[in-house]
Amino acid sequence: MRRRIAAVGMLTAAGMLALAVPAQAATGLLLVNGVVKHNPAKGCYPTGSPVLIENLTDARVDVYSLANCQGTLERQVAPGMTAVTVGLSYFVN
């Protein structure tokens, strides 16, 4: 019985630790059409076209021609770079 309780306790602790790990995010500031995003989370975001990306993070930003990061990859904006391009969504890597 003690072994079962110990096993359940260890599984519970492992599960809580797994949930406590923060989501990946770019470190720094990302300015999209003048809107500042602090440490943006990795993922796809909607935007309007044309789009001005000022990437002051440590991650690359990809701009796509269609919503939901679909369509043509219009531009890759490396960390420290600024770009104006067309696109309806962008992905923070």
Side-chain angles (χ1 to χ4, degrees), residues 23-26 38-45 92:
Q24 291 180 334
H38 298 275
N39 300 326
K42 179 178 181 177
C44 185
Y45 299 88
V92 177

Side-chain angles (χ1 to χ4, degrees), residues 26-61:
T27 302
L29 300 176
L30 180 65
L31 288 83
V32 180
N33 291 334
V35 177
V36 178
K37 299 177 184 293
H38 298 275
N39 300 326
K42 179 178 181 177
C44 185
Y45 299 88
T47 190
S49 189
V51 59
L52 168 63
I53 302 279
E54 295 178 67
N55 186 1
L56 305 175
T57 71
D58 60 354
R60 189 183 76 232
V61 176

Side-chain angles (χ1 to χ4, degrees), residues 52-92:
L52 168 63
I53 302 279
E54 295 178 67
N55 186 1
L56 305 175
T57 71
D58 60 354
R60 189 183 76 232
V61 176
D62 299 333
V63 181
Y64 289 88
S65 61
L66 300 176
N68 300 317
C69 297
Q70 301 292 311
T72 306
L73 174 60
E74 296 293 336
R75 185 77 183 254
Q76 292 183 323
V77 186
M81 302 300 291
T82 298
V84 176
T85 188
V86 295
L88 295 178
S89 60
Y90 63 95
F91 189 90
V92 177

